Structures are given as C-alpha cells and as structure tokens.
Amino acid sequence: MEHMLPNLPYVFDALEPFIDARTMEIHHGKHHQAYVANLNAALKDQPSLSAMSVDKLLRNLNEVPESIRTAVRNHGGGHLNHSFFWPTLKKDVAAKGPAIDAIVKKFGSFEAFREQFSTTAVKLFGSGWAWLVVDNGELALVAAPNQDNPIMTGKIPVLGIDVWEHAYYLLYQNRRPDYVSAFFNVINWEKINEHYLAAVS
Ligand code: MN
C-alpha cells in the first residue's frame, strides 16, 4: 500500500491573510509530498510494514528495521503531522465547545492557554511542533522536535502548530511570534473539539 498525499480540504488562499496561498501551495504540494514520497521509498522493500498505517508504524518504531527507522520516524512523522494539520485550519471558527471548556478548566482561562501554547511554540529551538495533547486524560502542552508526533510517547494530539520555517518564512521571515499569533485566527475549533472528544472517550 502506497501512502498518499491527502487533498487540502480548501483552496490555497483560504487562510489569507494569516497564512498566504504560496506558502500553502509549497507546504502541501512540495514539503508534505516529499514526506510521503520518502516514506514510500523507505518502505519499498517492506511489504508487511507497507500494509501498516503511518499511525501504527510510529507507535511501533521498534519493530521497524534499524536501517530505515530514522527515515520512517522523520518522513512518517511528517506525513502524519501534516495530514493532521490541514483539517485543523479554518478561518472564522468560534472558540467554543468541549475542548475550550477543558482548556479553560486546565489553564485557568483561554488567554492563559493562548499565552502558554504560544510560548511553547516560540521557544522551541530549531524545527518542530508545539502540541496540545491529552495525556492520561488530562490536557498538556508538549514541544516536539523535528517531525516527532505525540503518539510516539503515548499522548494524543488535539491541536498542533508547525513551527518549521517552511510553514511561515515567505510571509513572516524570522518573525515566528507573529506567525504564532496569526495562527490563532485560523484554528478550526470544530475539528479540535472532535479530536478532544475522541481523545477523552
Ligand atoms: Mn511543515
């Protein structure tokens, strides 16, 4: 089974002016596509592993031969992270619902959450993702390097922001804090509610 690049669930300029169309086009069509291609290349002589979902591969990296383990971790992680990411982006979605209720309960207020999530994203050194996860039934913040996904350490992702420079450099250059701030205008809270409810059920 070849892994496939999922379609973007909207047009490239759907997130303007917060995330620009050119970034979306390159991020999805070049970067995500490359993770998919490199994952397929790593698995080409591994029929049993090729039949596994990328989620399952990353939960069971120890079963992946050492010679391709890093490639599966990086490119499989890249494929999983970006497949998760695209549907969580949408403009003009009200921040309400069970995930918001749980966020307020955990962090004290939505603003306090926003501040802590943003700090996690801004301070992450190099390339990686900041995640809101469910860990043992509780919300928590995680900074993960490279393309590591929280499922690799038994946590369930609810919301994630890609802070690789390829996610923001064309529009924001070195201004990662501005990108992180803008990101809060394109969070699809309906999708985040779905992830949260699935994680705690
Ligand atoms: Mn990316």
Side-chain angles (χ1 to χ4, degrees):
M1 178 192 78
E2 289 256 303
H3 293 277
M4 303 279 285
L5 180 69
N7 289 327
L8 261 192
Y10 37 74
V11 293
F12 293 132
D13 66 2
L15 307 174
E16 294 261 14
F18 306 107
I19 302 178
D20 60 291
R22 185 73 175 135
T23 294
M24 291 304 296
E25 186 178 2
I26 297 169
H27 197 177
H28 176 262
K30 303 293 185 190
H31 292 279
H32 189 173
Q33 174 59 53
Y35 295 124
V36 172
N38 288 328
L39 175 64
N40 285 328
L43 294 173
K44 72 176 169 38
D45 297 323
Q46 305 283 343
S48 65
L49 294 180
S50 294
M52 286 164 69
S53 69
V54 69
D55 185 287
K56 196 172 174 195
L57 277 172
L58 291 171
R59 287 176 199 273
N60 298 280
L61 271 178
N62 288 339
E63 291 169 28
V64 175
E66 209 174 341
S67 60
I68 60 166
R69 193 176 300 155
T70 300
V72 170
R73 179 178 184 162
N74 289 341
H75 301 294
H79 178 33
L80 184 66
N81 289 347
H82 290 84
S83 299
F84 178 92
F85 190 53
W86 310 128
T88 65
L89 304 179
K90 192 178 179 183
K91 282 198 295 195
D92 301 324
V93 180
K96 63 177 189 186
I100 298 293
D101 295 343
I103 282 169
V104 170
K105 195 171 167 202
K106 177 72 185 181
F107 295 92
S109 68
F110 184 77
E111 270 316 301
F113 158 73
R114 180 180 169 134
E115 205 173 301
Q116 288 180 47
F117 180 88
S118 299
T119 299
T120 304
V122 168
K123 290 203 165 164
L124 190 150
F125 182 76
S127 298
W129 294 66
W131 296 98
L132 175 69
V133 301
V134 169
D135 184 16
N136 289 318
E138 289 272 317
L139 287 174
L141 295 173
V142 172
N146 306 315
Q147 295 294 355
D148 285 0
N149 185 285
I151 63 165
M152 291 164 56
T153 50
K155 303 174 181 74
I156 306 167
V158 172
L159 168 69
I161 179 170
D162 185 349
V163 294
W164 283 58
E165 282 189 341
H166 68 223
Y168 63 87
Y169 202 85
L170 288 180
L171 190 58
Y172 296 97
Q173 294 83 47
N174 61 317
R175 301 187 308 279
R176 189 191 287 181
D178 291 352
Y179 159 68
V180 173
S181 178
F183 176 76
F184 273 83
N185 293 296
V186 295
I187 299 175
N188 182 356
W189 290 106
E190 288 168 12
K191 184 57 77 176
I192 306 313
N193 283 322
E194 285 174 26
H195 288 312
Y196 175 73
L197 289 176
V200 294
S201 64

